[in-house]
C-alpha cells in the first residue's frame, strides 16, 4: 500500500505490532489499532488504540487483520468485506516477490520473506519473517507460514494451515486443510487428515498412547 495512505489494523497483539512495524518501514504514516480488549491508555509508537471500530473508514484508508489465529483472521476479513472496506496487503520492502507470484488481499508478508515465481498466496495469510514459499507453490486462504519456515517448490498448503517456526514442507508435497505442523517438523509425504503433526519426518501428535487430531 502507498505510504501516504492510512491503515486500520484489527487487533493489538504481537502480530498486529509486527504488521504496524512493517507498514511504518514501508512509509505508512497514519495508523489506527482497534482491539476490544485494549486499555484506555494504550498506544504504539504514538498511534492510537481504540476498543470500538470507527463508524466510517477515513478516505484513502484500508484495513488488515492483525491476529495470528487463522479462524479469527477469517472473521476479521469477512467483517471488513461486509463493511465495504478495502483490504490491504502489507508486504515488507525487504521481502522478495518474484515474477508471476500472486498475493491476495488481507495478507501480511514479513521482512526477508520470499515468494517464488508463480507461487500463489490466498487471502488473509501470514507469510512471516524469513519464511519461504517457493516457485509454483500454493498457500490456501487464512494460513500462517511461521518465521523461517519453508514451503518448497510445487507444494500445496491448504486452508487454515499453521506451519510452525522452522518447519519444512518438501518439494511437491500436499498439506490438507486444518492442519498444524509443529515447529521444526519436516513434512516429507502428503498429509490429508486434519490434526497436528510433529517431528522429522512429521507424524500425528500422540499423547499417552492416543493420537491427537
Amino acid at each position: 500500500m502507498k505510504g501516504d495512505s492510512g491503515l486500520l489494523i484489527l487487533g493489538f497483539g504481537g502480530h498486529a505490532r509486527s504488521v504496524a512495524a512493517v507498514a511504518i518501514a514501508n512509509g505508512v504514516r497514519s495508523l489506527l489499532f482497534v482491539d476490544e480488549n485494549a486499555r484506555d491508555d494504550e498506544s504504539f509508537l504514538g498511534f492510537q488504540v481504540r476498543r470500538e471500530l470507527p463508524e466510517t473508514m477515513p478516505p484513502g484508508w484500508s484495513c488488515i487483520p492483525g491476529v495470528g489465529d487463522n479462524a479469527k483472521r477469517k472473521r476479521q476479513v469477512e467483517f471488513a468485506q461486509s463493511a465495504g472496506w478495502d483490504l490491504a496487503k502489507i508486504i515488507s520492502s525487504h521481502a522478495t516477490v518474484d515474477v508471476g507470484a500472486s498475493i491476495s488481499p488481507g495478507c501480511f508478508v514479513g521482512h526477508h520473506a520470499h515468494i517464488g515465481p508463480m507461487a500463489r498466496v490466498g487471502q488473509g495469510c501470514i507469510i512471516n519473517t524469513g519464511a519461504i514459499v517457493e516457485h509454483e507453490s500454493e498457500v490456501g486462504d487464512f494460513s500462517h507460514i511461521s518465521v523461517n519456515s519453508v514451503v518448497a517448490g510445487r507444494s500445496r498448503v491448504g486452508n487454515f494451515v499453521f506451519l510452525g517456526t522452522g518447519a519444512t514442507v518438501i518439494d511437491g508435497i500436499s498439506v490438507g486443510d486444518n492442519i498444524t505442523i509443529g515447529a521444526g517438523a519436516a513434512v516429507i509425504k502428503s498429509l490429508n487428515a486434519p490434526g497436528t503433526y510433529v517431528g522429522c519426518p512429521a507424524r500425528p501428535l500422540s499423547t499417552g498412547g492416543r493420537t491427537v487430531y
Side-chain angles (χ1 to χ4, degrees):
M1 63 178 293
K2 296 179 180 179
D4 57 356
S5 302
L7 181 66
L8 171 64
I9 300 175
L10 300 172
F12 190 57
H15 178 62
R17 300 175 201 210
S18 294
V19 172
V22 169
I24 292 167
N26 285 358
V28 175
R29 294 291 174 258
S30 299
L31 291 174
L32 172 64
F33 298 88
V34 176
D35 190 319
E36 63 183 4
N37 298 314
R39 302 191 309 268
D40 290 337
D41 60 345
E42 284 194 292
S43 65
F44 181 74
L45 299 177
F47 295 106
Q48 184 183 11
V49 183
R50 295 175 45 171
R51 283 196 292 266
E52 296 180 355
L53 289 160
E55 293 184 5
T56 58
M57 184 75 77
W61 280 53
S62 56
C63 70
I64 189 166
V67 296
D69 180 88
N70 292 337
K72 289 181 180 178
R73 211 162 54 254
K74 178 178 186 289
R75 292 195 292 271
Q76 290 179 337
V77 166
E78 289 177 339
F79 175 83
Q81 291 172 331
S82 68
W85 294 350
D86 289 332
L87 276 170
K89 292 185 281 188
I90 300 298
I91 302 171
S92 169
S93 59
H94 299 291
T96 53
V97 180
D98 278 341
V99 61
S102 64
I103 300 172
S104 300
C107 286
F108 169 78
V109 180
H111 294 315
H112 308 296
H114 172 73
I115 312 295
M118 310 305 293
R120 177 192 172 276
V121 179
Q123 69 173 338
C125 287
I126 297 171
I127 311 299
N128 224 324
T129 307
I132 296 172
V133 178
E134 258 301 354
H135 61 89
E136 302 158 276
S137 288
E138 179 178 347
V139 177
D141 296 337
F142 308 108
S143 288
H144 185 160
I145 310 302
S146 293
V147 173
N148 292 331
S149 55
V150 177
V151 178
R154 299 188 180 93
S155 295
R156 183 190 180 278
V157 172
N159 305 314
F160 301 100
V161 171
F162 182 84
L163 195 63
T165 300
T168 300
V169 178
I170 70 167
D171 300 58
I173 293 298
S174 177
V175 176
D177 299 341
N178 300 298
I179 285 177
T180 295
I181 305 298
V187 182
I188 65 171
K189 64 178 182 179
S190 294
L191 304 175
N192 297 310
T196 298
Y197 297 79
V198 297
C200 184
R203 297 181 175 88
L205 179 65
S206 180
T207 303
R210 180 173 61 89
T211 298
V212 177
Y213 286 108

